[in-house]
Amino acid sequence: MRPSIMKRLFRRVASTAVLGLLAATLSTTTAAQPAAAAGGLQQVTGFGSNPGNLQMYAYTPAGLPANAPLVVALHGCTQTANAYYTNSGWPKFADKWGFAVVFPQTTSANNSLSCFGWFDPAEDTRGKGEAASIVQMVEYAKQSYGSDGRRVYVTGLSAGGGMTADLLAAYPDVFAGGSVASGLPAQCATSQAAASGCQTGPQKLTPAQWGDKVRGAYPGYTGPWPRVAIWQGTSDYTVYPANATALRDQWTDVWGIGQTPSSTDTLPGNTTRSVYDDASGSPAVETYSVSGMGHGLPVSPGSGDQQCGSTAAYFLATICSTYYTGVFWGLDGGTPGGGGGQLPAPAGVTVTGTTAATASLSWNAVEGAASYEVRRNGTKIASPTATTYTDTNLTAGTAYRYTVAAVDGSGTAGAASAQVTATTTGGSTPAQCYTATNYAHVTAGRAHTTGGYVYANGSNQNMGLYNVFVTHVLKESPAGYFVIADSGCTG
């Protein structure tokens, strides 16, 4: 459909706040009706106060074990929970891998074409409306199904994808990961009037500005952040591919990593996967660009291990996005994101001493850890069983950055700790001074981010928010050790 016709359709339905999915067929599609329980899909009532006036449907496989993961799957405009259950492929992998799936449903009582309110602060922010109702469903699942609160994930298509991004931003303490299919960046629009502009081309913001929208959704939160998969067709003219770029910029910035992929590969369905690793070398953000695909959720009907779903309106036969998303999250029993397993990050990581050639570390024990993984400057260097380690053969007067992760009995490494910096003694490097924004200091390797704030490498002095608006002078002495020197920098 030509863009001019699409714009007229958007104007025609603007008063109904339908700004997410099916823009090309709004003139012929009727509003969604409540889904009837189909097969194993069951409606759940009484899950909470339900401020967002949503309906809850759930699929729980037979023999679901205690402490199994939970997936929340959000439909697009004019769709139903039943349609998403039937066509997305999630029930297949729930049976195969053992997890529950909650399918929230909005109706025409909320929006004339049953769109989740990804553009409405009364619906998509912490403690408000539909977002709060969805979190109540998560709490119900934890209590009723025994779902593991550490392994709760959310995914959605189009308007459901926009709500997914908003939920990840507003509730990073609830969701360990997310997957946004043909969706929008978190808080791209905060009004109905701004929504269509996001769909056709989101604001041209820097990664730090996109990241600030996430950090502002739950002020004071310091992590850990959800791992995010982003699915997008290159020929999507309902939610344009620029949204996938903005999503990538947003979530890599939140993680404090760059926008250059750590690796890329080719998958079925003319799909290119780009992986963005965190500081410990584990994938934190992945983008999946499906060449030639329009607006919809990628599925791949068939009985193969990596196939799923069925074709229908806006379920497009290309690749089983559900399979790859589940593997990224670790639902198959593997390590989430290729890293960051179930054990929590060790607390209390401290540099206990340095010499010209050594750096000693200690940390608090993690229950269930068989050993620990120590990384220096992102590279694994040791696997001690004790909660102390001394790194040797280092260079004098040099700063080294360390993280520690707990490893379970199967050899799976958990989440990495906060980074600490140890500077060996000795050396005589003259002091150097650098004046730049916080964003530029991080990019240049003079500082690092934690929880949306910037800290000087070496001294760990708090430099304020990670953005392009705050400027500091940093003094480097010895090499790799930086202190704030705004009042004057001398050698």
Side-chain angles (χ1 to χ4, degrees):
M1 180 175 290
R2 296 193 304 275
S4 60
I5 297 175
M6 194 177 307
K7 290 179 180 178
R8 288 198 296 272
L9 288 173
F10 279 134
R11 287 196 294 268
R12 184 183 308 166
V13 299
S15 62
T16 65
V18 179
L19 295 162
L21 175 63
L22 310 185
T25 60
L26 295 183
S27 61
T28 60
T29 306
T30 59
Q33 299 301 315
L41 184 67
Q42 299 295 325
Q43 184 169 8
V44 177
T45 59
F47 58 84
S49 61
N50 193 16
N53 191 34
L54 299 182
Q55 296 173 354
M56 177 179 176
Y57 291 83
Y59 177 69
T60 53
L64 181 70
N67 296 314
L70 174 68
V71 172
V72 178
L74 303 175
H75 63 76
C77 294
T78 77
Q79 293 182 322
T80 62
N82 188 17
Y84 219 71
Y85 165 84
T86 301
N87 299 304
S88 66
W90 280 110
K92 170 180 177 174
F93 294 104
D95 288 336
K96 182 176 182 179
W97 293 335
F99 57 87
V101 189
V102 166
F103 295 88
Q105 179 171 283
T106 188
T107 68
S108 57
N110 283 9
N111 178 280
S112 64
L113 287 183
S114 300
C115 304
F116 287 103
W118 60 271
F119 49 81
D120 185 352
E123 302 292 349
D124 67 357
T125 54
R126 189 176 179 91
K128 301 288 184 64
E130 294 176 350
S133 289
I134 291 168
V135 172
Q136 288 181 353
M137 296 179 196
V138 171
E139 292 303 313
Y140 179 93
K142 289 162 62 176
Q143 295 297 321
S144 300
Y145 313 143
S147 299
D148 185 351
R150 300 172 301 173
R151 293 185 291 163
V152 179
Y153 306 91
V154 60
T155 181
L157 167 64
S158 194
M163 181 61 83
T164 292
D166 290 337
L167 286 166
L168 294 172
Y171 292 98
D173 53 332
V174 172
F175 299 103
S179 179
V180 181
S182 300
L184 300 301
Q187 296 301 315
C188 182
T190 55
S191 70
Q192 177 182 320
S196 60
C198 283
Q199 288 177 225
T200 56
Q203 306 168 59
K204 298 185 183 303
L205 303 180
T206 66
Q209 289 170 323
W210 280 119
D212 284 345
K213 289 180 177 290
V214 172
R215 289 181 284 269
Y218 185 16
Y221 181 76
T222 59
W225 295 103
R227 299 182 184 276
V228 181
I230 301 159
W231 292 86
Q232 180 70 48
T234 63
S235 298
D236 188 341
Y237 301 114
T238 300
V239 175
Y240 280 39
N243 286 282
T245 301
L247 277 159
R248 179 209 61 187
D249 290 354
Q250 184 171 66
W251 289 100
T252 53
D253 178 80
V254 167
W255 274 85
I257 55 182
Q259 287 72 55
T260 300
S262 305
S263 64
T264 59
D265 60 346
T266 301
L267 301 177
N270 295 317
T271 304
T272 299
R273 174 171 57 186
S274 299
V275 180
Y276 301 81
D277 290 342
D278 64 15
S280 68
S282 299
V285 177
E286 293 189 350
T287 63
Y288 298 80
S289 177
V290 186
S291 180
M293 190 184 78
H295 187 67
L297 182 74
V299 297
S300 178
S303 59
D305 289 343
Q306 299 180 13
Q307 291 182 289
C308 72
S310 56
T311 55
Y314 300 91
F315 293 94
L316 307 180
T318 50
I319 180 175
C320 175
S321 57
T322 297
Y323 168 80
Y324 288 96
T325 294
V327 171
F328 174 60
W329 290 339
L331 297 179
D332 63 337
T335 305
Q342 297 179 27
L343 292 179
V349 179
T350 305
V351 179
T352 57
T354 59
T355 69
T358 67
S360 298
L361 308 173
S362 70
W363 54 90
N364 298 339
V366 173
E367 183 177 357
S371 63
Y372 298 90
E373 178 181 283
V374 180
R375 288 180 175 265
R376 180 211 304 139
N377 297 339
T379 301
K380 180 180 175 180
I381 58 170
S383 299
T385 56
T387 57
T388 60
Y389 176 71
T390 297
D391 196 11
T392 60
N393 298 317
L394 303 177
T395 302
T398 303
Y400 296 93
R401 297 185 291 278
Y402 295 91
T403 59
V404 181
V407 180
D408 64 21
S410 68
T412 300
S417 70
Q419 182 177 268
V420 297
T421 302
T423 302
T424 52
T425 60
S428 57
T429 303
Q432 297 189 56
C433 300
Y434 305 88
T435 302
T437 66
N438 279 356
Y439 178 81
H441 280 307
V442 172
T443 302
R446 296 186 287 268
H448 60 277
T449 63
T450 299
Y453 288 87
V454 176
Y455 297 85
N457 287 344
S459 69
N460 271 334
Q461 289 177 302
N462 190 332
M463 298 165 59
L465 290 172
Y466 180 39
N467 58 37
V468 296
F469 306 112
V470 179
T471 297
H472 283 295
V473 179
L474 290 184
K475 175 182 175 180
E476 181 182 21
S477 182
Y481 190 94
F482 297 87
V483 296
I484 298 174
D486 294 342
S487 60
C489 188
T490 58

